Amino acid sequence: MFWRMTGLSGASPVDTILDKENFTLEELLDEDEIIQECKALNSRLINFLRDKAQVEQLLRYVVEEVPEDSEKKRSFKFPFIACEIFTCEIDVILRTLVEDEELMDLLFSFVKPDHPHSTLLSGYFSKVVICLMLRKTAPLMNYVQGHPEIVVQLVDLIGITSIMEVLIRLIGADENIYSNYGDAMQWLENTDVLEMIADKFSSSDSPEVHANAAEILCAVTRCAPPSLATKICSPSFVGRLFHHALEESRPKSVLVHSLSVCISLLDPKRLASASYQAFKSNLSHGALVTASPETVDGMLESLGNLLKLLDTSAENVLPTTYGYLRPPLGKHRLKIVEFISVLLTIGSETAEKELIRQSAIKRSIDLFFEYPYNNFLHHHVENIIVSCLEGKRTELIEHVLNECDIVGKILVAERLSSLSTESNGPTVPSEERAPPRIGNVGHMTRIANKLIQLRNSNSTIQAHLQENTEWVEWQTNVLVKRNEVENVYHWACGRPTSLHDRGRDSDDDDYRDRDYDVAALANNLSQAFRYGIYSNDYIEEASMTVYPVLFLHHHPILRRLP
């Protein structure tokens, strides 16, 4: 118990068990307060658990599978409690484990090929090993160095996420795991662990294996020990990744996740996924990998074969709410466009010239208009266009304006405004309903505003816009009015507080400074709903339901009404 005062509380149930002449470990594990007593450093309990026989039995609960007909306590409760005892980080118990070769052999027997690897026990094994890494780093690393087959066995189990987390920390791709023991990583210089991980793209067809392999390699790029930093950004390693990615017989997940590693090499701060948030700016033992010109050149060698995958002849059909896609964009083409977007941000003149020569930018912009409802694609292509327009090289700007004809494509899309029923593109509207409004208008608006912003400082952009009379007319009659409607600072209610007046502490200051006109609020909201997006039915429904909700939630006066 956490709170115990003499005379006011009875003996702990754990002490009651320890008072018996004959008791078993199972009796203690079945007691609900055992973890609390461990954390309270109950000396009698710890002296019992530190014995080798008890530590061995606890390890067996963690690493050994039981028959399906076993009791629930043996299958679920005892393994959980055993794992929790180890992760209480009691020094004498951990010391008994790491100082005994037989116990360490029993712990790592879990990763042997002939051993069953359930998800439940994998998680417990992972927690125990990571606890040893944190608290008993030196003896653990000495054991691993003396048994190099453990690294190979962990790589073979890379498809299990908890095993992946062990491997990430074992190779030092974590921001604090070896902050006090940097010498432990020297042994990695003589291993081929990165190559073994990369080769999982070729030897396994499992998407989980590919995703976890990419996760580890991306973690290395964000926080690389010196022994791995040089290797992972070498042209030979990049060539190995692209070799696996471009194999025709491999699943598309290989291409997607291989490119994730290349993207992380170009931009280490970009997290591959939300499952592993290991990056921090203040690193103690590692540093961000910086892509050298040689690394970029290694990627450009395979760019031509990569861009061929943007043109697909597949006839897959994907039904959607607005019609169907023939074919859908696919994760692999989306990842290629993202790779192009990141490649343009590093400022490599060689990369920019190669992207222009192979029409990578033009093909990406074409996809932007061919798939008007894929917001992920629109985001990456907008970044591509902005990177080109904000770049210092005139050749890149002229390519976007002339060869890619971004202004002309925007004007054509704005003129049509709805999905075309006569188009031969991959996005086909349904015949049973009216064609919906295209979904990339917001991105086109931001691109147009970026052009207007940059023309004041760039004569090339200014000359190109002035020569296009249709653009001037569209800007005056459409874009200016659209910006007025979408300008949140002109809205009488619903203004995002993060964008304006951040210093105010409450809504009281707002309504004291401004006299709200309810009629004006309704008029502004009505204009927003009439902005060509919703049908009349939606407007009528909004007038009956949305306005009162917005008033009550956003208006400081009406919100105070009873």
Side-chain angles (χ1 to χ4, degrees):
M1 297 176 64
F2 285 117
W3 298 278
R4 183 182 304 163
M5 298 180 64
T6 304
L8 296 181
S9 62
S12 165
V14 172
D15 286 330
T16 302
I17 296 175
L18 294 173
D19 288 336
K20 296 180 180 179
E21 291 185 4
N22 296 315
F23 62 90
T24 63
L25 177 63
E26 286 74 13
E27 290 182 74
L28 287 172
L29 297 182
D30 196 28
E31 176 51 53
D32 294 339
E33 293 189 6
I34 183 171
I35 301 302
Q36 296 179 11
E37 292 295 327
C38 286
K39 293 180 178 179
L41 300 179
N42 184 318
S43 58
R44 296 175 62 195
L45 175 62
I46 292 174
N47 287 333
F48 174 75
L49 295 177
R50 66 180 295 185
D51 185 68
K52 178 182 177 180
Q54 314 309 327
V55 174
E56 179 180 353
Q57 185 58 44
L58 291 173
L59 283 177
R60 293 190 183 278
Y61 287 136
V62 170
V63 302
E64 292 184 354
E65 291 284 353
V66 296
E68 294 182 359
D69 57 351
S70 300
E71 295 182 2
K72 289 186 177 180
K73 290 182 180 181
R74 177 61 185 88
S75 302
F76 299 102
K77 184 175 183 178
F78 290 171
F80 169 75
I81 297 298
C83 176
E84 289 298 306
I85 289 175
F86 284 116
T87 55
C88 283
E89 301 179 356
I90 300 171
D91 184 73
V92 292
I93 297 178
L94 298 182
R95 193 187 309 161
T96 300
L97 172 56
V98 298
E99 292 179 355
D100 192 293
E101 184 84 7
E102 293 181 358
L103 294 180
M104 292 296 288
D105 290 342
L106 175 60
L107 174 62
F108 282 96
S109 66
F110 183 80
V111 297
K112 290 184 177 180
D114 57 347
H115 194 286
H117 306 102
S118 70
T119 303
L120 181 66
L121 292 188
S122 296
Y124 296 150
F125 167 81
S126 172
K127 291 184 67 176
V128 173
V129 174
I130 291 174
C131 177
L132 295 178
M133 288 182 185
L134 289 169
R135 300 304 174 192
K136 297 295 178 182
T137 307
L140 175 71
M141 295 306 299
N142 290 334
Y143 178 83
V144 174
Q145 292 179 53
H147 300 78
E149 70 279 1
I150 289 177
V151 177
V152 179
Q153 293 167 351
L154 289 172
V155 173
D156 289 339
L157 298 175
I158 202 173
I160 304 174
T161 301
S162 55
I163 302 297
M164 174 203 73
E165 293 173 351
V166 171
L167 192 56
I168 284 177
R169 290 160 174 81
L170 189 64
I171 63 178
D174 181 78
E175 76 275 9
N176 57 17
I177 194 75
Y178 295 110
S179 57
N180 299 320
Y181 195 73
D183 295 339
M185 305 313 303
Q186 295 299 321
W187 66 282
L188 284 172
E189 296 180 359
N190 301 322
T191 66
D192 296 328
V193 61
L194 292 186
E195 288 80 357
M196 289 189 291
I197 295 172
D199 288 344
K200 299 303 289 185
F201 289 126
S202 178
S203 61
S204 174
D205 292 338
S206 169
E208 290 78 12
V209 171
H210 304 155
N212 289 349
E215 193 72 31
I216 295 177
L217 296 177
C218 290
V220 172
T221 65
R222 294 191 294 267
C223 185
S227 57
L228 300 182
T230 303
K231 183 179 293 187
I232 197 170
C233 63
S234 64
S236 61
F237 190 83
V238 172
R240 181 188 293 260
L241 287 175
F242 273 97
H243 172 73
H244 297 322
L246 297 174
E247 285 187 75
E248 294 183 0
S249 60
R250 305 302 298 139
K252 292 300 183 183
S253 60
V254 174
L255 172 64
V256 171
H257 295 296
S258 297
L259 286 180
S260 293
V261 180
C262 295
I263 290 171
S264 187
L265 280 170
L266 298 173
D267 184 8
K269 293 184 179 181
R270 181 186 293 259
L271 298 177
S273 71
S275 63
Y276 182 66
Q277 305 287 331
F279 175 78
K280 285 187 178 181
S281 58
N282 298 323
L283 303 176
S284 56
H285 73 280
L288 292 176
V289 170
T290 303
S292 63
E294 292 77 15
T295 306
V296 176
D297 291 341
M299 296 180 183
L300 295 179
E301 290 178 2
S302 304
L303 183 62
N305 293 328
L306 189 65
L307 295 178
K308 291 179 182 178
L309 300 178
L310 290 177
D311 298 315
T312 177
S313 58
E315 292 298 329
N316 299 335
V317 177
L318 176 66
T320 67
T321 56
Y322 51 81
Y324 55 91
L325 295 173
R326 187 186 56 196
L329 180 68
K331 290 183 179 179
H332 66 288
R333 289 203 287 175
L334 180 64
K335 183 61 69 171
I336 295 173
V337 174
E338 181 184 357
F339 173 71
I340 295 171
S341 172
V342 176
L343 196 58
L344 280 169
T345 63
I346 63 175
S348 169
E349 183 176 1
T350 304
E352 292 173 355
K353 289 183 178 180
E354 191 66 17
L355 290 173
I356 292 175
R357 187 182 71 83
Q358 302 206 34
S359 300
I361 300 173
K362 184 177 185 300
R363 185 68 187 102
S364 300
I365 293 177
D366 290 340
L367 289 174
F368 178 92
F369 294 96
E370 291 175 5
Y371 293 90
Y373 300 107
N374 193 315
N375 286 336
F376 295 104
L377 172 67
H378 304 158
H379 170 73
H380 295 315
V381 176
E382 181 184 344
N383 288 340
I384 290 175
I385 296 172
V386 172
S387 296
C388 294
L389 296 177
E390 292 182 340
K392 299 179 180 179
R393 297 180 180 89
T394 305
E395 180 183 5
L396 203 58
I397 298 175
E398 291 179 345
H399 176 71
V400 172
L401 295 177
N402 298 323
E403 285 83 0
C404 300
D405 191 22
I406 182 61
V407 174
K409 286 183 169 64
I410 290 177
L411 293 175
V412 171
E414 286 283 347
R415 193 184 315 125
L416 297 175
S417 81
S418 298
L419 191 60
S420 175
T421 57
E422 301 177 356
S423 174
N424 295 324
T427 305
V428 182
S430 173
E431 297 179 356
E432 301 175 357
R433 62 179 67 182
R437 185 178 175 86
I438 56 177
N440 51 6
V441 174
H443 290 275
M444 290 192 297
T445 301
R446 293 201 298 190
I447 295 171
N449 288 328
K450 177 61 68 172
L451 285 167
I452 296 172
Q453 174 190 344
L454 295 176
R455 73 178 179 182
N456 298 325
S457 58
N458 191 295
S459 57
T460 303
I461 298 177
Q462 185 176 16
H464 185 85
L465 296 181
Q466 288 178 347
E467 293 172 359
N468 194 322
T469 56
E470 184 180 358
W471 166 272
V472 176
E473 181 181 354
W474 175 78
Q475 177 190 343
T476 304
N477 298 331
V478 178
L479 184 60
V480 173
K481 296 180 180 179
R482 179 181 298 172
N483 287 332
E484 290 178 356
V485 172
E486 295 180 354
N487 189 346
V488 296
Y489 298 113
H490 293 170
W491 293 3
C493 75
R495 182 180 66 249
T497 56
S498 61
L499 299 178
H500 189 57
D501 290 346
R502 293 183 62 89
R504 298 189 175 184
D505 296 329
S506 68
D507 291 333
D508 295 337
D509 297 329
D510 290 338
Y511 82 84
R512 287 195 185 100
D513 294 345
R514 173 175 295 182
D515 183 17
Y516 285 86
D517 186 350
V518 175
L521 301 182
N523 182 56
N524 288 340
L525 287 173
S526 178
Q527 289 181 4
F529 278 96
R530 284 203 302 268
Y531 185 65
I533 300 177
Y534 302 103
S535 64
N536 291 331
D537 294 336
Y538 284 117
I539 297 175
E540 293 174 1
E541 181 181 356
S543 65
M544 294 185 293
T545 60
V546 177
Y547 295 163
V549 173
L550 288 175
F551 291 161
L552 291 175
H553 283 278
H554 294 285
H555 195 281
I557 297 177
L558 294 180
R559 189 165 51 195
R560 289 166 173 77
L561 294 178

